[in-house]
Amino acid sequence: MEASNAAVADALTLFGQLLEITGKDGFKIRAYYRAAEEISRLAGDVADLTLEELVAIPGIGKGLAEKIQSLVATGTHPELEALKAEVPPGLIELLDLEGVGPKTVHTLWMKAGITSVAEMEKAARGRRIRAIRGFGEKKEQEFLQSIARYRSQATRLNRAEAEAVVARVSAALTPGTFEVAGSFRRGRSTVGDIDIVSREPPPQVNARLRGIADEMIDEGDRKTSVRLGTHRVDIRFTPPRQFGSMLLYLTGSKEFNIRLREIAIGKGMRLNEYGLEDRKAGGLREFPDEESIFTFLGMDWIPPELREDRGEIARAQAHRLPPLVTAADIRGDLHVHTAATDGTLTLPDLARAGAARGYRYLLVSDHSASLGITHGLDPERIAAQAREIVQVNQTSPCRLLHGIEVDILADGTLSLPATVLADLDLVVASIHSAFRQEKDVMTRRILSAMASDHVDVIGHPTGRLLGSREAAALDLDRIIDAAADTGTALEINASPLRMDLDDAPIRQAQEAGVKLAIGTDAHTAEELDHVRYGVVLARRGWCAPGDLLNTWDAEPLLEWAR
Ligand code: DGT
Ligand code: CA
Ligand code: CA
Ligand code: ZN
């Protein structure tokens, strides 16, 4: 198979990084990075380009063009292999640490003989990093934090990854006889391990699990643990008559379980995974489903997304649980990219994809032209897009709303003039650069964007990327207050890599009367289906249908934006 543009760009980047790590010629290094940039923003397939066409790309000479052709054909190049052989194998992994680039790796290797993440951690703990010229105590602490993050991210799954693991294990189970429990069922943005409750007889299930598992960690009649890839799945077996209490117990959270057990104790009973025991008379009362346990304890059934001991138990006892938004309430997606920038869909494709999902509208919100944004829209292309949207809307049952994802620049100004923003239906403003500003600077940057008359939604407010980038330092209290004051909505970015805002700030915003907007940030039709992650997240944030702009019709939505 021929290598994709992204794979070629990655290989060119690695080329440059290895040259830097091994301390080679600076001019050549920049040429590789520049070529990687050019290849990654090619509209067509790099594999289709002739040598002459490659040389015609700015910054790519004959030597680089030949290397690119070799990367396309074989995935590598003899010089790249030679460079890899020059460095200890653990060294390249250091580049995965946030805040560690090739220059740092070079210095750590040369000055302290550090060649792996483990050695770097040891050096930082032994206070040997601060002794290196140009580093210092602060840097040493940052390295330790990066390492901790790198380790924890290596183990927790995002929602899409967790779903894939669940799908694999489900193949060994019988539909209708099991339920996924744990943090997965509660809808958490990241999932540690997968917990499943099964009422099928263990021998059958275990035999089938042996067929699909990469490893049987532990096999039994009460519980079996398997490894699928690098991930662990725990399966608990239960007779059907106790299914309810087992599911309740394994769904958690732990804090929720503890609180619920206190309620049971208050009624003279002991709650465990097998049922409710009367503490005086003895005897076990069993429950085939969860509802009957909640009813028995005198409360309403609590949706799993709320089970975190954040006040939901008292509400269930008072029969006053909040009404939660459901997937059926969603009328449109408020953050979508198209082929005009870095997406794959044309406007007619997008309208069809929206109609296929029963949406009344979709917000076209491509990137604005800005530093570091590929093919961002300038005012002229925005005007052209507006004309095409009018065309498409003439026949589409799903209305395309015309928006933009305008860049919030490092100084808090927007990358498009107010006159351009004023003509759009809805404006999402997001940060895409300078993520490491001081907390106060970062916060004020978003506050200035919210102060603009034209900004309706702040996109992916914290900027986190699960597994690769921490949330920016932000004073969310101030941002939520300002959102309430200015009538700006905050996004619930439903990309499984973002999940931003997360549950706790969503609830805080909802309580402050701030509106929330689910956006999938889709670049393809399939990614529109990520809306389900956004709905679960909104439910974890106690959102009622009306709290989400997505549940409104287009007209009231546009009225609100005006
Ligand atoms: P995770 O896997 O880290 O994303 O989070 P969970 O919530 O899935 O936690 P996990 O897999 O350790 O345990 C599954 C459920 O089992 C948990 O949500 C509640 C229950 N559980 C686990 N440990 C305890 C405990 O010590 N006490 C109580 N009451 N329940 C527990
Ligand atoms: Ca779990
Ligand atoms: Ca578990
Ligand atoms: Zn964005």
Side-chain angles (χ1 to χ4, degrees), residues 156 181-184 186 191-196 232 234 250-251:
R156 288 191 79 80
S183 53
F184 183 88
R186 300 199 311 282
V191 173
D193 66 2
I194 307 279
D195 306 282
I196 290 179
R232 182 193 176 98
D234 291 333
L250 274 187
T251 298

Side-chain angles (χ1 to χ4, degrees), residues 473-543:
L474 278 179
D475 186 339
L476 280 174
D477 293 342
R478 270 174 84 194
I479 286 174
I480 288 167
D481 284 349
D485 288 345
T486 58
T488 311
L490 298 177
E491 182 173 75
I492 298 176
N493 190 294
S495 160
L497 296 175
R498 290 191 181 270
M499 305 295 270
D500 181 15
L501 292 178
D502 210 342
D503 46 15
I506 291 173
R507 178 157 177 213
Q508 197 183 337
Q510 185 269 347
E511 283 180 342
V514 172
K515 296 298 173 210
L516 294 134
I518 295 179
T520 58
D521 213 342
H523 289 68
T524 64
E526 295 70 46
E527 286 173 5
L528 288 171
D529 297 324
H530 290 166
V531 69
R532 65 182 182 276
Y533 305 133
V535 171
V536 167
L537 200 44
R539 289 167 64 84
R540 286 184 60 81
W542 292 51
C543 285

Side-chain angles (χ1 to χ4, degrees), residues 225-299:
S225 295
V226 301
R227 185 173 59 75
L228 294 176
T230 54
H231 308 302
R232 182 193 176 98
V233 182
D234 291 333
I235 296 110
R236 279 294 291 262
F237 299 108
T238 173
R241 60 177 200 282
Q242 294 180 350
F243 189 81
S245 50
M246 186 60 84
L247 179 59
L248 177 67
Y249 177 81
L250 274 187
T251 298
S253 67
K254 188 175 162 185
E255 293 72 22
F256 173 89
N257 285 352
I258 290 168
R259 184 77 63 205
L260 205 60
R261 204 150 36 197
E262 286 171 9
I263 306 270
I265 287 171
K267 295 184 186 295
M269 281 173 292
R270 195 190 311 279
L271 175 64
N272 59 29
E273 54 265 62
Y274 312 109
L276 278 163
E277 275 172 50
D278 194 303
R279 292 170 76 200
K280 286 213 189 78
L284 181 71
R285 188 177 288 270
E286 299 176 311
F287 299 90
D289 55 61
E290 274 187 354
E291 287 81 353
S292 49
I293 307 176
F294 283 104
T295 305
F296 193 84
L297 291 173
M299 58 177 84

